């Protein structure tokens, strides 16, 4: 049976390397489509949790994971020699920036180096980690070909960007269309065959670079538009215009407009990071990506802007920020998820603590919140807590919070998300 036939009839064994926010939901979706899936991770803890059927990713309920593990369709391991059992391997490892905001592809290189010794002929490898155009062929391909296998003939290689939107109740792995670009046409064909079993719509493109660039376009589009809203919010605030009302009004235009919202700064593993993968690579082509740099500048300034607005609001209450008790409401980077990566709450808390504020937080999704190695005290959201602070700052608008109570009892609220929409009070200030 050929590789394509094995993918199509579900007899292929699939490997997923990196069982995080992207890899675990994908492994589960593949197993739900009745493929045998082996999950690989360097974290023995995650591997043990998967093998026990205990999910650590909110979008993957344990009730969904456990039957797949019990039926033997999904298992996890730290032993990369089991790559030799696989027909297809998908790499979903982190792609962070280093301290100089340059791409750090070391996780991709390490994963490739772990996989390479166990590759065999007639096998597909895909990369899903968000990265700059060229990574698949410049970084991954040489490591895979160092085995003596030739991409396009013995081995098939493609890039397919992950588009997971954590916490999205409508669009999840299966019903989010998947872009695929192979090194050769045969590589694309193999990747389309593998993903078609577990994903409804596959969108082939002409090259790995086009697929890599597609993901960056999507994230840069968001990053630049959020920055635009953050700038328009600042000018609107000076003009005493409510930017949230303006966006709602503009949204009624049935064509040519898409709403974006201001906020306390970017968060998550994607939007604050990915655009810089492109600006770094663009320099190799003598291009300075000015939109990306400008958007980065505006968005990175937002935590500082929030602190300045808080100081102004406290000033209106004849209080200095120093020694004021400030409650941060919601510290995860977005609503109704537990992910703290790059959360603007971290920078805001750090700035407030540095200025002498007494910072506490409430976030039902985040049991522990550390800033510069020190735990920020967590508080319950009661009338007493709210009356006892000098100001509350809504950083993330989790849906489980009683915002009426926040508006009624906190002496001052700075709302960076319009969570207190319609609750007009002297004490409520919004961005
Ligand atoms: N989280 C998202 O919402 C999202 C969305 C789209 C794209 N992405 C991209 O997907 C990639 C993965 O992101 P994530 O959020 O799943 O990250 P994550 O940190 O949640 O998961 C990565 C996993 O890879 C494992 N890992 C690290 N090095 C490894 C190695 N050498 N071998 C095997 N496993 C290794 C880690 O232990 C971890 O479990 C990133 O490039 C990210 O930009 C993420």
């Amino acid at each position: 049976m050929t590789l394509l036939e094995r993918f199509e009839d579900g007899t292929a064994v699939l490997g997923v390397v990196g069982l995080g926010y992207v890899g675990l939901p994908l492994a589960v979706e593949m197993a739900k489509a009745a493929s045998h899936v082996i999950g690989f991770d360097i974290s023995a803890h995650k591997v043990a949790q998967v093998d026990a059927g205990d999910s650590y990713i909110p979008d993957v309920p344990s009730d969904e994971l456990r039957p797949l593990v019990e039926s033997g369709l999904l298992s996890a391991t730290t032993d990369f020699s089991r790559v030799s059992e696989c027909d297809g391997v998908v790499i979903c490892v982190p792609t962070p920036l280093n301290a100089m905001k340059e791409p750090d592809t070391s996780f991709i290189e390490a994963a490739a180096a772990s996989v390479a010794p166990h590759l065999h002929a007639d096998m597909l490898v895909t990369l899903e980690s968000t990265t700059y155009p060229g990574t698949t062929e410049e970084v991954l391909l040489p490591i895979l070909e160092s085995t003596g296998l030739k991409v396009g003939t013995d081995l098939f290689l493609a890039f397919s960007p992950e588009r997971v939107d954590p916490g999205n109740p409508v669009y999840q792995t299966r019903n989010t269309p998947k872009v695929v670009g192979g090194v050769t046409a045969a590589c694309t064909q193999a990747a389309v065959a593998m993903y078609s079993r577990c994903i409804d719509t596959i969108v082939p493109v002409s090259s790995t670079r086009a697929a890599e660039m597609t993901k960056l376009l999507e994230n840069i589009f968001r990053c630049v538009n959020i920055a635009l809203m953050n700038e328009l919010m600042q000018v609107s605030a000076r003009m005493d215009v409510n930017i949230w009302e303006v966006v709602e009004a503009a949204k009624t235009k049935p064509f040519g407009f898409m709403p974006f919202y201001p906020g306390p700064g970017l968060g998550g593993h994607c939007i604050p990071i990915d655009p810089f993968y492109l600006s770094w690579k663009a320099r190799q082509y003598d291009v300075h990506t000015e939109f990306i740099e400008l958007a980065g500048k505006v968005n990175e300034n937002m935590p500082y802007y929030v602190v300045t607005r808080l100081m102004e609001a406290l000033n209106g209450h004849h209080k200095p920020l120093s020694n004021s008790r400030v409650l941060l409401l919601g510290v995860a980077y977005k609503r109704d998820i537990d992910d703290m990566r790059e959360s603007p709450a971290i920078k805001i808390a750090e700035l407030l603590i540095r200025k002498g504020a007494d910072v506490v937080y409430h976030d039902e999704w985040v049991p522990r919140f550390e800033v510069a190695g020190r735990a920020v005290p967590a508080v319950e959201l009661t009338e007493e807590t709210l009356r006892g602070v000098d100001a509350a700052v809504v950083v993330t608008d989790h849906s489980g919070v009683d915002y009426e109570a926040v508006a009624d009892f906190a002496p001052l609220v700075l709302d960076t998300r319009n969570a207190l929409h319609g609750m007009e009070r002297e004490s409520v200030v919004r961005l």
Side-chain angles (χ1 to χ4, degrees), residues 44-359:
H45 182 65
K46 284 187 178 171
V47 162
Q49 277 185 283
V50 172
D51 276 343
D54 287 337
S55 174
Y56 42 85
I57 300 290
D59 283 346
V60 177
S62 293
D63 287 348
E64 208 170 289
L65 174 64
R66 204 168 302 118
L68 299 169
V69 174
E70 283 169 358
S71 67
L73 280 171
L74 176 60
S75 63
T77 181
T78 54
D79 175 8
F80 284 80
S81 70
R82 292 196 59 200
V83 165
S84 60
E85 296 170 36
C86 299
D87 298 288
V89 169
V90 183
I91 299 177
C92 317
V93 293
T95 40
L97 294 171
N98 66 20
M100 302 306 292
K101 288 209 183 308
E102 291 163 349
D104 173 2
T105 55
S106 63
F107 293 89
I108 297 178
E109 290 162 49
S114 304
V115 164
H118 312 291
L119 294 174
H120 52 80
D122 207 22
M123 183 172 180
L124 168 71
V125 176
T126 67
L127 176 65
E128 295 213 358
S129 306
T130 308
T131 184
Y132 58 79
T135 310
T136 307
E137 294 184 32
E138 293 163 18
V139 177
L140 191 52
L141 183 144
I143 301 174
L144 304 185
E145 285 197 339
S146 68
T147 56
L149 294 164
K150 186 96 189 85
V151 167
T153 47
D154 311 315
L155 190 67
F156 303 98
L157 175 62
F159 183 81
S160 179
E162 178 47 57
R163 284 170 157 171
V164 70
D165 181 19
N168 190 320
V170 179
Y171 289 106
Q172 294 176 344
T173 305
R174 179 157 200 116
N175 62 352
T176 303
K178 197 146 183 51
V179 172
V180 168
V183 177
T184 65
C187 294
T188 306
Q189 207 186 359
V192 170
M194 180 180 75
Y195 285 118
S196 292
R197 268 191 74 81
C198 65
I199 288 165
D200 295 341
T201 310
I202 309 293
V203 184
V205 294
S206 65
S207 64
T208 55
R209 281 181 172 75
E212 289 160 335
M213 190 67 162
T214 302
K215 176 69 187 178
L216 292 179
L217 164 62
E218 292 164 10
N219 285 354
I220 291 165
F221 176 77
R222 282 190 63 72
C223 177
V224 168
N225 278 289
I226 291 168
L228 175 66
M229 291 317 302
N230 282 331
E231 187 174 86
L232 294 182
M233 176 275 296
Q234 292 179 43
V235 68
S236 299
R238 288 216 188 159
M239 294 171 167
D240 200 19
V241 171
N242 180 339
I243 189 71
W244 307 91
E245 181 190 1
V246 172
V247 178
E248 288 314 300
K251 253 169 77 178
T252 61
K253 186 181 178 192
F255 44 84
F257 182 79
M258 181 181 282
F260 285 87
Y261 298 93
L266 299 178
H269 185 12
C270 297
I271 315 292
I273 292 174
D274 304 344
F276 294 105
Y277 267 70
L278 185 66
S279 46
W280 177 85
K281 189 66 176 173
R283 287 199 287 276
Q284 192 180 318
Y285 294 85
D286 300 327
V287 176
H288 292 269
T289 52
E290 293 181 38
F291 272 100
I292 295 174
E293 297 298 333
L294 181 59
K297 197 169 129 189
V298 173
N299 290 331
E300 273 171 24
N301 188 50
M302 287 313 296
Y304 296 87
Y305 177 80
V306 168
V307 171
T308 303
R309 288 288 299 272
L310 179 63
M311 287 197 292
E312 286 170 5
L314 281 166
N315 190 50
H317 286 220
H318 312 292
K319 289 178 182 176
L321 177 56
S322 179
N323 284 331
S324 282
R325 190 168 175 83
V326 179
L327 167 63
L328 299 183
L329 274 175
V331 295
Y333 88 83
K334 80 176 208 189
R335 181 194 300 166
D336 295 347
I337 63 164
D338 66 347
D339 196 343
M340 283 299 298
R341 290 179 295 181
E342 311 291 325
S343 173
I346 300 169
K347 190 74 187 182
I348 291 171
E350 191 187 305
L351 295 172
L352 292 175
I353 291 167
R354 223 190 283 158
K355 290 186 187 301
D358 173 17
V359 180

